[in-house]
Amino acid sequence: MSNKILLHRSSSKTKMAWAIAGCLGALIVLGLPRLSSHSDSAVRLVPANPPAQGQDAVRSYMGTTPDGQLADQGQDLVLSPALIRRFEYYMTAVGERTQEQIRAAILKDISTELNARGQKEAQRILDAYLKFKTALGSVSQPKMGEVSSASLALHFKAIRDLRAQYFSPDEVKALFGMGDEYEDYTVRKVAIMQNQALSPAERDAQLEQLKSTLSPEGQANVEQPVIQLTLAAKEQEARAHGATAADIQQLRTDMVGADAAKRLAALDKEQAAWNERIRQYKEARAQDPARAEQLKSTLFTPREQLRLAAYE
């Protein structure tokens, strides 16, 4: 999140801002198309400079693999949030691939897990989801500095009303039910955090009561951002005491499990590769600006180039 928040020890507004930010950040963790910029939430049909159709390497996928089980033992499709996460995994290549290329990659991937009937159903869901994602660009979003429980509720309702045009009630429940539960929790949590009539003790009690109304999976999602922050602090402390990469991986495994630890290791590799590309680009800018401009299109996708201003 790019918004800078100035910390003051006694500021209740600051605590509230962090609480709201934590809720909204967790929506992203859940893989939900929420409160992002219009340009990100809408699927662009053709990026500025899409790679050639035959080019297989996609930087957004490097060092990662899609996860989540899509089928039952008979290879029939099981509708669940895992299917949406699988779609979103491939949609990270927007800017590197056209929508048609992304769709083809998804269909190729799921064909290895599903039978013919499951593939047909998954294709139908995928096409509906692509239309829904494109239509999301028309949904107005509350500004981060003006977030309230009312504005969030209106925003989520607009998304749900739009989504109902593409999915049946049963599909919505299976694919998005967990996310909807968290959205409702977020709206109620923000209302509690912004209620100035509550004492700190009353607010904490109401927040604890609110969390208890969530399903076990929902409670795990609420706790996940806290776990991530705790893990990051422990990693920093371990590295300061000379921890090796293997030590860090073991720490992650102990705290979040083997699968999540593997994903974090993959993100480490991705970040290291990004840092190296940035190093090459900055070095070229210092020595030969003309060459740096050539390197820009070689090292970075059009989408990644938007981030370079922070390094220039």
Side-chain angles (χ1 to χ4, degrees):
M1 192 171 297
S2 61
N3 299 54
K4 295 181 179 179
I5 301 176
L6 298 178
L7 295 178
H8 299 282
R9 185 173 301 175
S10 61
S11 172
S12 61
K13 290 184 178 180
T14 296
K15 294 178 182 178
M16 184 187 304
W18 275 111
I20 295 172
C23 289
L24 302 182
L27 293 174
I28 299 173
V29 171
L30 289 170
L32 304 174
R34 305 290 189 260
L35 293 171
S36 57
S37 67
H38 285 178
S39 61
D40 285 339
S41 61
V43 176
R44 299 172 191 162
L45 297 183
V46 182
N49 294 294
Q53 179 74 35
Q55 185 179 344
D56 291 330
V58 179
R59 291 197 186 104
S60 297
Y61 304 154
M62 288 182 177
T64 65
T65 56
D67 63 357
Q69 185 174 343
L70 305 184
D72 60 17
Q73 292 183 346
Q75 292 190 305
D76 281 321
L77 176 66
V78 176
L79 294 184
S80 74
L83 181 62
I84 300 302
R85 289 196 298 270
R86 184 70 63 90
F87 294 166
E88 288 290 340
Y89 171 84
Y90 284 97
M91 288 178 188
T92 60
V94 170
E96 297 178 70
R97 288 289 185 268
T98 65
Q99 185 186 31
E100 291 75 16
Q101 290 171 328
I102 291 172
R103 180 179 181 275
I106 294 172
L107 294 178
K108 180 180 179 181
D109 176 30
I110 63 179
S111 69
T112 63
E113 300 181 41
L114 301 172
N115 58 28
R117 180 172 53 191
Q119 291 178 47
K120 183 177 180 180
E121 179 68 1
Q123 179 175 327
R124 183 184 65 79
I125 296 292
L126 171 59
D127 288 339
Y129 190 65
L130 288 172
K131 293 177 182 177
F132 166 59
K133 288 279 286 187
T134 301
L136 271 178
S138 65
V139 176
S140 61
Q141 304 181 58
K143 298 179 180 179
M144 287 303 299
E146 301 173 0
V147 170
S148 67
S149 60
S151 65
L152 283 177
L154 288 173
H155 178 68
F156 294 148
K157 181 180 184 302
I159 291 176
R160 294 178 189 185
D161 289 346
L162 178 65
R163 192 178 59 195
Q165 300 177 27
Y166 300 94
F167 302 96
S168 71
D170 287 342
E171 290 168 349
V172 167
K173 183 177 180 180
L175 297 169
F176 308 101
M178 186 184 301
D180 287 352
E181 179 189 41
Y182 193 86
E183 288 176 354
D184 294 338
Y185 166 84
T186 299
V187 169
R188 294 170 66 187
K189 179 173 181 177
V190 171
I192 293 172
M193 295 299 298
Q194 292 181 332
N195 187 348
Q196 299 297 316
L198 296 176
S199 68
E202 289 172 332
R203 182 167 56 246
D204 290 345
Q206 289 195 18
L207 289 174
E208 193 62 30
Q209 173 60 30
L210 175 60
K211 189 168 75 170
S212 71
T213 65
L214 293 169
S215 66
E217 287 181 314
Q219 292 188 35
N221 288 328
V222 168
E223 294 165 358
Q224 189 63 31
V226 177
I227 293 174
Q228 290 173 342
L229 289 173
T230 303
L231 175 59
K234 286 186 175 294
E235 284 185 22
Q236 185 176 10
E237 181 181 1
R239 288 191 173 96
H241 288 83
T244 65
D247 294 332
I248 296 297
Q249 196 65 5
Q250 185 60 52
L251 173 63
R252 291 171 170 175
T253 300
D254 292 341
M255 287 196 64
V256 298
D259 289 342
K262 289 178 182 177
R263 289 194 289 270
L264 288 170
L267 286 174
D268 284 347
K269 292 180 181 179
E270 182 180 341
Q271 184 62 45
W274 169 261
N275 290 341
E276 174 58 22
R277 284 186 282 148
I278 289 295
R279 186 197 65 77
Q280 294 179 35
Y281 176 66
K282 292 176 69 174
E283 184 178 275
R285 275 180 57 85
Q287 297 177 357
D288 187 348
R291 178 172 173 271
E293 284 302 309
Q294 294 177 341
L295 270 180
K296 181 184 290 189
S297 59
T298 302
L299 293 174
F300 304 100
T301 68
R303 187 179 182 182
E304 289 173 334
Q305 290 175 30
L306 299 176
R307 300 164 56 188
L308 292 181
Y311 301 90
E312 295 176 344

